[in-house]
Amino acid sequence: MITPRTLKGFRDYPPEAMIPRERLIETARRVYRSYGFSPIDTPALEYLEVLEGKGGEESDKQLYKFQDHGGRWVGMRFDLTVPLARFAAQHIAELGTPLKRYHIAAVWRGENTQRGRYREFMQCDFDTIGTRSVAADIETALVIHDLLRAIGFEGFAISVNNRQVLTGLLEKLHLAEQSTAVLRALDKLAKIGPAKVAHELIDTAGATPEQADQVLRLAQITGPRDEVLARLAPLVAGSETGEAGVERLAELAAGVAAAGVSEERLRFDVSIARGLDYYTGVVFETLLAELPGIGSVCSGGRYDNLAALYTKQELPGIGASLGLDRLLAAMGELGLIERVATPAPVFIPYFDRDRLHDYLRLAERLRQAGFGVEVYPEPRKLGQQLKYADRRGHRVALIAGQREFDEQQIQLKDLTAAEQHEVPLDDELTALIERLRELLGEGVRG
């Protein structure tokens, strides 16, 4: 006998776990489509050369790679952005620009597992390819904002930085060639604190104590957006790159403010760098006010050079990714996930052996009205079937036997409130549909 088990960092998803995942994915799709993003898909496996060296040293360590049956070295995608760059370079001639796409699919990283992080996980990405316009930066921030609100969160903050600001300072400090090491050190600031980051800047990036102090001074600027911009300007003055970064942040702030996003929802945080090497401009991280320790639940940024590895055509890009599994873990901790094992809110018990066809007709008419309906498959005792419905998380049971069908009445049992009402069964089911919509909402399918 083979012991049934799953690999470390991988999971099975029973219905009560899969239903909230699918609802979250459906919400993401709805928000992405509302901004004009279109769906694409790419293979789970890519040629190794497509993936290796694109996300930095840490991503290369976590990459699942092997030789296939043809002796080719291949890798499993570690994110959806690098495959997008390959996809855009390969297909942009027929697709045109700007290309606005979303991609919801599994990715794999061989990293140590921790709270809300697994080796196989789902990403929900959206990106705009083919424009450097600040309008695309602003739109990315707005999509993140609308996405978190659509999911049901009010207490969250989108932290925004621009890598050009730090690059400008590094140019002034003659540390531009060590920018990758500096960015990786800064990315740990929230976890290990300024003192340890300073040591890493000196030991790993080769900075002097004075240079490390200047970098940390910039990274620790906080306050209202206008105040942060005012304090950044003199630090990068004289660097064309740094000045451009500050200007882009100012334009982004004005754009999101015009769209009605408050200071509390979007703030500047000069310390965030994002660990992946391909970011070149604005970067985003999103923290939940009630659970900041779980980390960013929606992150991304601008990557203007990534597609240059695959094509001579300029294909600048910007986008972000919803951390589906991390967000679900947070929602679970906050008690925001309803535990149900069925997507159908309506349950029809089959307890009158001679009425199976009536039950099936009733269920089909309700499905046509937009309701998810499950009919029990065997004629068992009503009490047993109602226990089943309660365990599965059905919200309403429609109880009808010989008497109810003869009198054209049905017993509607609200399983959540433990209340029961008698509803007329007219030819069009008008009263029943109206009552179900009151209890469940218009056209509810799950």
Side-chain angles (χ1 to χ4, degrees):
M1 293 290 291
I2 298 171
T3 303
R5 54 184 177 156
T6 54
L7 285 167
K8 180 183 178 183
F10 294 78
R11 294 176 295 167
D12 289 324
Y13 295 94
E16 59 268 24
M18 201 63 200
I19 287 169
R21 280 171 68 82
E22 287 195 341
R23 286 177 177 166
L24 213 53
I25 289 169
E26 287 161 9
T27 300
R29 282 198 186 104
R30 187 174 70 250
V31 173
Y32 296 163
R33 289 180 177 184
S34 74
Y35 279 84
F37 291 88
S38 301
I40 70 162
D41 200 4
T42 63
L45 285 181
E46 298 273 3
Y47 282 104
L48 187 59
E49 64 184 15
V50 169
L51 302 176
E52 208 163 38
K54 310 308 185 296
E57 187 180 337
E58 194 62 29
S59 291
D60 282 351
K61 287 179 183 176
Q62 297 169 359
L63 190 62
Y64 283 101
K65 55 186 176 182
F66 53 91
Q67 279 187 293
D68 68 7
H69 293 309
R72 294 170 289 259
W73 276 100
V74 297
M76 298 177 76
R77 62 190 178 206
F78 63 87
D79 75 354
L80 299 178
T81 306
V82 175
L84 169 63
R86 190 271 306 155
F87 173 93
Q90 192 170 342
H91 300 290
I92 204 67
E94 63 263 29
L95 293 173
T97 59
L99 166 64
K100 295 178 67 172
R101 83 83 166 97
Y102 72 86
H103 190 183
I104 300 174
V107 300
W108 297 267
R109 297 179 190 175
E111 59 184 340
N112 290 329
T113 56
Q114 53 182 289
R115 184 176 64 160
R117 299 189 73 168
Y118 300 89
R119 290 177 176 173
E120 179 184 58
F121 55 97
M122 188 79 73
Q123 284 192 335
C124 302
D125 284 19
F126 67 95
D127 293 79
T128 302
I129 301 293
T131 176
R132 298 181 189 273
S133 170
V134 73
D137 297 11
I138 295 166
E139 184 175 78
T140 301
L142 295 177
V143 173
I144 296 172
H145 175 267
D146 288 1
L147 182 55
L148 268 290
R149 290 200 67 192
I151 291 166
F153 286 99
E154 294 296 330
F156 65 90
I158 307 168
S159 296
V160 182
N161 191 16
N162 192 307
R163 279 197 172 180
Q164 290 177 295
V165 175
L166 182 61
T167 300
L169 178 66
L170 297 183
E171 287 175 357
K172 290 184 66 174
L173 296 175
H174 306 291
L175 287 172
E177 301 218 349
Q178 293 99 301
S179 61
T180 299
V182 171
L183 288 168
R184 287 179 187 157
L186 275 185
D187 209 34
K188 303 173 186 174
L189 185 60
K191 295 178 183 175
I192 65 176
K196 289 183 178 177
V197 169
H199 282 300
E200 187 165 332
L201 288 169
I202 294 166
D203 295 342
T204 306
T208 66
E210 293 75 19
Q211 289 170 327
D213 180 64
Q214 286 268 51
V215 170
L216 283 169
R217 262 204 328 158
L218 178 137
Q220 293 179 89
I221 292 175
T222 59
R225 294 196 294 244
D226 288 344
E227 184 181 319
V228 170
L229 291 171
R231 292 174 64 187
L232 285 178
L235 289 175
V236 299
S239 164
E240 187 177 339
T241 303
E243 290 175 353
V246 172
E247 184 179 346
R248 293 282 284 207
L249 284 177
E251 290 174 329
L252 187 144
V256 296
V261 178
S262 68
E263 286 264 359
E264 292 73 28
R265 288 274 175 75
L266 188 141
R267 59 189 179 85
F268 292 150
D269 183 346
V270 195
S271 70
I272 66 168
R274 303 294 302 142
L276 296 174
D277 289 350
Y278 51 63
Y279 290 120
T280 57
V282 64
V283 287
F284 302 95
E285 290 189 347
T286 310
L287 296 179
L288 302 177
E290 294 181 82
L291 208 61
I294 204 161
S296 178
V297 296
C298 193
S299 308
R302 176 164 283 283
Y303 47 93
D304 285 342
N305 304 320
L306 187 61
L309 296 163
Y310 313 110
T311 178
K312 291 180 180 178
Q313 183 178 352
E314 278 198 6
L315 292 175
I318 182 169
S321 178
L322 178 71
L324 183 74
D325 293 282
R326 186 178 291 190
L327 189 59
L328 283 166
M331 293 172 72
E333 289 193 33
L334 296 171
L336 299 177
I337 295 178
E338 182 185 5
R339 296 294 176 187
V340 296
T342 175
V346 179
F347 176 71
I348 298 179
Y350 170 26
F351 64 95
D352 188 328
R353 186 180 297 274
D354 299 326
R355 290 286 183 170
L356 175 60
H357 293 176
D358 291 316
Y359 296 135
L360 294 175
R361 271 193 294 270
L362 175 61
E364 183 55 30
R365 291 171 70 184
L366 290 175
R367 290 187 192 109
Q368 289 174 8
F371 299 98
V373 184
E374 178 180 344
V375 179
Y376 198 78
E378 298 176 7
R380 293 189 175 176
K381 291 181 180 179
L382 179 60
Q384 286 181 302
Q385 296 186 53
L386 291 177
K387 284 182 181 177
Y388 166 86
D390 189 56
R391 186 173 68 250
R392 292 258 292 161
H394 292 284
R395 293 168 59 187
V396 172
L398 302 180
I399 303 167
Q402 182 71 42
R403 180 182 66 82
E404 285 81 9
F405 281 116
D406 288 345
E407 296 177 4
Q408 290 294 284
Q409 300 282 338
I410 196 165
Q411 301 297 323
L412 188 154
K413 187 175 179 65
D414 184 337
L415 297 172
T416 305
E419 297 175 351
Q420 189 160 313
H421 310 276
E422 195 167 73
V423 180
L425 269 182
D426 55 86
D427 288 342
E428 301 300 321
L429 300 183
T430 306
L432 178 59
I433 289 170
E434 185 178 332
R435 186 70 179 121
L436 286 173
R437 283 178 177 159
E438 287 175 10
L439 289 171
L440 304 174
E442 183 81 19
V444 172
R445 286 196 179 274

